[in-house]
Amino acid sequence: MLRIHFTGADLAGVRMAARPDVLWETILSFHRLRDRRGGLVYGEWRSQTRTRLNGETRLLGALVPQRGYFPDFLTPPEGLHGLDAALEAVRRTPPARIHSELALLAASRPGAAPLPTWARRLTEGCSEPFSRLLGALRGYHRAAIEPYWTYIQSRVEADRAVRGRALLDGGADELLASLPPALRWRSPVLEADYPVDRDLRLDGRGLLLQPSFFCRGNPVVYRDPDLPPVLVYPVTHSDAPAATEPVGAGGESSLGRLVGHTRCAVLKAIGHGGTTSELARRAGVSLASASQHAGVLREAGLVVTLRQGSSVLHTLTPLGAALLHGGAQPGQQRRRRYARNGPVTS
């Protein structure tokens, strides 16, 4: 069991990750690739991904075993800022830290088998082994994550909407109590099923909650207790991931149904998330009409619906947000306005 111990300062410092972490998703998906479980969610993704791989699994498998410990330096905090920033952070890892983490990895291998020579050379600061590692991570990400990134974003954003609503309704206590069933909030300790028995004391540092599409079952934390505390936990799955395709490649018939003022009003009403009752009230339509229109928007890939208790919560996907804001995400829209008119404040 994992036990995370909170102080009052830690409760005040609980926060949600703003987006999926590119390297957490990459590394955890590598576990799912070699795991036969979760076929309904990951089965088709596994088949599609394997056809795009070019030997990256053999190299990554040396550092990321099928189960158990993998080095913390493979998932730096910069993973929230995109692949290039994340890989550069991996490259900048101090040799002493790499040495200690690879020693832990080697000790956990069956029969304490030594790591491959190229992996041991990472501790020497040589560019060649780092180039091999970063090339494998980039190639694997391109095959396994990049085609599904929009879908992954939508599932993480839907989870964030559920947690944000819990935080607004009841503060940090309600937020922690709303986490998936594998996590149990018994103030001041958050307990979770875990492969080993472990206590993590936050000591006033707070906790970053990182929802993950490819995390399955048990949550994940860093092995090194001195690193900034992060709890990676699984989002709720309702279907299998779909690769991003042009609208004409399969979504044309669904998007063609997106006409009329009422449906546009429902799309706008979803905004940062809402239940079916809230959509009906905001858009000025009946509950049945709001539910029907939300269903069409969901089929078109513009909305994600997540059940929470006795209600459902609808949130926009990145595609839905782009459509609502004229083809750009809200932040992109502000940048375009800045370019035309100078600084803006909204």
Side-chain angles (χ1 to χ4, degrees), residues 103-190:
L104 283 173
L105 177 64
S108 66
R109 288 164 65 89
L115 294 170
T117 300
W118 74 264
R120 297 197 300 270
R121 291 184 62 216
L122 289 170
T123 64
E124 301 169 4
C126 300
S127 60
E128 188 271 334
F130 266 109
S131 295
R132 292 185 64 184
L133 172 60
L134 300 184
L137 285 169
R138 189 179 293 277
Y140 177 82
H141 176 271
R142 187 180 299 117
I145 302 298
E146 192 174 274
Y148 309 93
W149 189 244
T150 296
Y151 183 88
I152 293 167
Q153 285 179 303
S154 69
R155 301 311 306 182
V156 168
E157 189 57 38
D159 186 273
R160 276 171 42 83
V162 170
R163 308 308 158 208
R165 180 168 292 254
L167 181 65
L168 289 173
D169 289 346
D173 270 302
E174 187 69 21
L175 167 60
L176 294 170
S178 78
L179 292 171
L183 293 146
R184 299 169 294 278
W185 174 237
R186 297 184 174 124
S187 181
V189 178
L190 182 64

Side-chain angles (χ1 to χ4, degrees), residues 21 23-24 26-27 60 63-64 70-76 86-87 90 93 97 101 105 122 133-134 137 222:
D21 184 295
L23 281 187
W24 275 114
T26 297
I27 298 299
L60 292 180
L63 297 186
V64 185
F70 60 85
D72 292 333
F73 74 81
L74 293 176
T75 52
L87 294 183
V90 172
T93 308
R97 176 180 168 187
E101 293 186 7
L105 177 64
L122 289 170
L133 172 60
L134 300 184
L137 285 169
Y222 284 133

Side-chain angles (χ1 to χ4, degrees), residues 309-332:
S310 60
S311 63
V312 294
L313 185 65
H314 309 283
T315 59
L316 296 179
T317 66
L319 178 60
L323 181 64
L324 188 61
H325 295 284
Q329 297 289 354
Q332 295 172 320

Side-chain angles (χ1 to χ4, degrees), residues 148-309:
Y148 309 93
W149 189 244
T150 296
Y151 183 88
I152 293 167
Q153 285 179 303
S154 69
R155 301 311 306 182
V156 168
E157 189 57 38
D159 186 273
R160 276 171 42 83
V162 170
R163 308 308 158 208
R165 180 168 292 254
L167 181 65
L168 289 173
D169 289 346
D173 270 302
E174 187 69 21
L175 167 60
L176 294 170
S178 78
L179 292 171
L183 293 146
R184 299 169 294 278
W185 174 237
R186 297 184 174 124
S187 181
V189 178
L190 182 64
E191 297 179 349
D193 300 327
Y194 210 64
V196 296
D197 200 46
R198 183 173 174 199
D199 288 275
L200 174 59
R201 301 186 183 278
L202 301 178
D203 295 329
R205 295 174 294 169
L207 181 67
L208 177 66
L209 298 174
Q210 178 66 65
S212 167
F213 181 84
F214 283 103
C215 183
R216 182 185 183 276
N218 298 332
V220 186
V221 296
Y222 284 133
R223 171 71 174 266
D224 185 349
D226 294 327
L227 292 173
V230 180
L231 177 68
V232 183
Y233 67 90
V235 300
T236 300
H237 294 292
S238 58
D239 51 15
T244 303
E245 297 179 350
V247 170
E252 187 172 353
S253 61
S254 294
L255 289 175
R257 299 166 66 188
L258 293 176
V259 294
H261 295 294
T262 302
R263 197 160 295 148
C264 290
V266 172
L267 185 65
K268 292 177 181 177
I270 291 174
H272 295 292
T275 64
T276 306
S277 298
E278 290 169 338
L279 302 191
R281 184 175 66 253
R282 295 171 190 169
V285 298
S286 69
L287 189 63
S289 179
S291 178
Q292 178 188 6
H293 288 303
V296 174
L297 295 168
R298 183 170 57 252
E299 291 172 9
L302 304 180
V303 168
V304 169
T305 300
L306 190 64
R307 179 165 294 280
Q308 180 72 2

